[in-house]
Amino acid sequence: MARLLIVEDDEGIRVPLTRALEREGYAVDGCGDGHEALARAAAAEHDLIIIDVGLPGIDGLEVCRRIREQRPSVPILFLTAQDGELDIVDGLDAGADDYVTKPFRVSELLARVRAHLRRTTVELAEAGDVRIDQAARRAWRGADELELSPKEFDLLALLVREAGRVVTRERIMAEVWDENWFGSTKTLDMHVSWLRRKLGEDASDPRHVQTVRGVGLRFEP
Ligand code: CA
């Protein structure tokens, strides 16, 4: 079971978020200020850390920097009240992997948490004759390496990890196109057709990447 740390001084956010994460099966520790966050994080027992940027004591950016020094690879997600570009750049500079702007949908945050945990835990995936090396970001069909764009790779990796199961369009948009959550899904359709072409699929009768009408996609091994 993954263990998460939430650092957020606003109980109106921390308490319901903790409950939602616990319902998903995660063990969750919470705290409301930067000093306590560093003390908790020092134990290095968390698989993912969520940090509010505006914290009393030590601010979220500094908390992130200090945790990053000790834990170079733990996924860190920022909660940020502002969506100014400077704030985001500062957050990424401080070592965050991702950020969610308040107010956010809990379902969106849960999708990001799942995606980041999966990235760090599942490095190799295989379905049928398609193989993915997540750490190296390489993919093969049979013996042939596929030349994929970053989004095509993320899309294929997600579908292969969930092979045999339907992955909804909403989940794909949240996990592969983070920032375009509210955007058009035409982008997705385009990438699906490019991906099929690179896999050598017959567009009118694809073997692997199948459309489940009105729901999403399913990778058929
Ligand atoms: Ca705050």
Side-chain angles (χ1 to χ4, degrees), residues 2 46 48 70 106 110 126 129 140 146 176 196-197 204:
H46 300 104
L48 182 144
Q70 309 297 320
V106 170
L110 293 178
E126 199 169 357
D129 57 357
W140 295 263
L146 302 169
V176 179
R196 280 182 179 141
R197 199 174 309 152
S204 59

Side-chain angles (χ1 to χ4, degrees), residues 120-187:
T120 56
T121 52
V122 182
E123 302 228 312
L124 289 168
E126 199 169 357
D129 57 357
V130 175
R131 215 155 32 94
I132 303 279
D133 181 338
Q134 188 74 52
R137 292 187 68 83
R138 298 173 72 186
W140 295 263
R141 180 167 190 188
D144 300 327
E145 182 161 4
L146 302 169
E147 285 190 23
L148 304 175
S149 72
K151 291 298 181 200
E152 288 163 359
F153 177 86
D154 289 339
L155 174 60
L156 181 64
L158 172 60
L159 294 174
V160 165
R161 286 191 306 259
E162 298 290 340
R165 288 191 287 265
V166 179
V167 184
T168 64
R169 297 180 77 92
E170 291 73 22
R171 180 169 165 204
I172 295 169
M173 294 314 291
E175 294 194 17
V176 179
W177 278 271
D178 294 341
E179 68 274 24
N180 292 338
W181 171 262
F182 299 104
S184 158
T185 57
K186 283 216 178 66
T187 314

